[in-house]
Amino acid sequence: HAMTQEVVRDLLMGGFKRQGLSSMLTSLFHAFTPFTTDDAKTFSVGRDYAAHVKASVSHVDWSVGDTPDWALQVAGLCGLTANYYYFVVCGFESALALHNVEMDLKGAVLGGEHSALAGTHKNIGNVKMAQGKLEAALECYAVSLDIGARPEGELRVADGKDKDMQAAGTYNNMALIYRTQEKYDDALKMFDKCLQIRIAKKGEQSIEVAKLLHNMGALFQWQKLFDRSLEHYTRAQNIFISQLGKDHIFVAKTCITIGSIFSEQREYLNARTELGKAIKILLATVEPGHMDL
């Protein structure tokens, strides 16, 4: 609020609107970046900062002019704030509006085909997927993969993120869409592409690989391929235990999914055993009323 008052005071004194808002957004950028956008604990504080960012961006024409570095900083702040709206408060329209500003600024400075825009296309796809606009999401993911593939010799990093891992996340999300659409062969192909990248970049015993194996287990479960499903869930569980310990919530989640397979197969005693393990872990690790409980 002090920053807002400073901008208003500057305008009343005949100051330049864009300059005043630039100063405010710089301050907001440094205040907002320490927040974890997918942590619900930041809801109230992040909401206030996000509202200021959204209002500031909407009140000025962010033409690049002779300040490309500043334009990229504003683009980064828009992307960060958009992720807050997407992850924390499910404000999908606000997220899209900010991602569009991010896209315009990055495109104006770097060009519309620059690999730095791959992440923005991916994030827009994530929002559209959350809205249930699956075909639109797939289009965004396809563009992300297309412009993210750079010639030999180029750095495989954009916006501080490993582009191969970014592509792996895109393949995973595409697989989830294909699974929802019951295009199981296409889903498995996308999962396999993601798996190869994650193994190469993070190793076979990484948390990233375990999460993907769990997603693949769900795909096989949807197809009633229970043996293959159980195999993938068990592999995921073993990695979680080795990396996080036997009392971690991720282990509990695999107990739940393994229990659901036994239940579908009418192996109720085995199902009860697995669900009992999950309850024991969750009671010790989450708050009462947690969705998994």
Side-chain angles (χ1 to χ4, degrees):
H1 292 292
M3 287 184 258
T4 303
Q5 291 174 352
E6 188 66 29
V7 172
V8 173
R9 187 181 301 111
D10 185 58
L11 291 174
L12 291 175
M13 296 295 290
F16 183 40
K17 181 178 182 181
R18 186 167 184 262
Q19 182 179 0
L21 288 173
S22 295
S23 299
M24 178 176 177
L25 282 173
T26 299
S27 299
L28 286 171
F29 180 82
H30 293 299
F32 203 85
T33 47
F35 297 151
T36 303
T37 55
D38 58 353
D39 184 354
K41 294 178 181 178
T42 67
F43 177 86
S44 58
V45 178
R47 177 190 58 196
D48 292 338
Y49 281 111
H52 282 298
V53 172
K54 184 181 176 183
S56 299
V57 170
S58 66
H59 280 88
V60 70
D61 174 19
W62 294 104
S63 54
V64 175
D66 58 352
T67 57
D69 291 341
W70 167 245
L72 290 178
Q73 187 180 38
V74 175
L77 181 58
C78 288
L80 184 70
T81 312
N83 286 339
Y84 170 85
Y85 278 115
Y86 166 65
F87 280 116
V88 182
V89 298
C90 297
F92 300 134
E93 292 303 325
S94 295
L96 286 175
L98 286 162
H99 277 316
N100 285 332
V101 175
E102 176 192 11
M103 183 83 72
D104 291 342
L105 289 172
K106 285 183 176 179
V109 176
L110 303 171
E113 299 298 313
H114 194 279
S115 63
L117 275 74
T120 308
H121 283 289
K122 175 179 179 288
N123 288 336
I124 291 175
N126 292 345
V127 177
K128 291 186 179 296
M129 180 179 174
Q131 291 177 310
K133 300 176 181 179
L134 303 184
E135 292 300 330
L138 286 173
E139 291 178 8
C140 292
Y141 291 147
V143 173
S144 175
L145 291 170
D146 182 50
I147 67 174
R150 307 307 298 173
E152 286 292 328
E154 284 208 21
L155 291 176
R156 300 294 299 169
V157 176
D159 292 345
K161 298 179 180 179
D162 186 300
K163 285 162 54 180
D164 293 321
M165 288 297 291
Q166 182 173 274
T170 303
Y171 286 130
N172 178 71
N173 290 350
M174 294 177 75
L176 296 177
I177 291 177
Y178 287 136
R179 186 184 70 182
T180 301
Q181 295 175 327
E182 299 184 355
K183 298 178 180 179
Y184 299 128
D185 289 342
D186 290 334
L188 186 57
K189 290 177 183 177
M190 295 298 105
F191 277 143
D192 282 337
K193 289 183 177 182
C194 178
L195 182 62
Q196 295 308 312
I197 294 173
R198 290 188 179 180
I199 289 176
K201 303 293 288 191
K202 297 293 184 178
E204 291 189 12
Q205 295 298 307
S206 66
I207 300 299
E208 290 84 355
V209 167
K211 290 180 178 180
L212 181 60
L213 290 171
H214 196 271
N215 285 344
M216 296 175 75
L219 173 65
F220 292 124
Q221 186 174 0
W222 279 37
Q223 298 176 82
K224 308 298 182 183
L225 300 174
F226 296 124
D227 288 343
R228 297 188 69 182
S229 179
L230 186 59
E231 173 194 347
H232 283 75
Y233 284 149
T234 302
R235 287 174 62 190
Q237 185 180 72
N238 289 337
I239 295 173
F240 286 140
I241 291 173
S242 68
Q243 298 296 323
L244 302 172
K246 60 183 178 63
D247 295 324
H248 195 276
I249 188 172
F250 287 172
V251 177
K253 288 178 180 292
T254 57
C255 290
I256 292 171
T257 48
I258 290 172
S260 69
I261 289 181
F262 286 135
S263 180
E264 286 193 67
Q265 294 178 309
R266 298 186 178 183
E267 297 181 22
Y268 297 122
L269 288 178
N270 288 334
R272 181 176 180 178
T273 298
E274 292 299 322
L275 295 175
K277 293 178 185 177
I279 290 174
K280 182 179 179 180
I281 296 171
L282 292 170
L283 287 174
T285 56
V286 302
E287 296 293 327
H290 189 276
M291 60 181 296
D292 287 324
L293 272 174

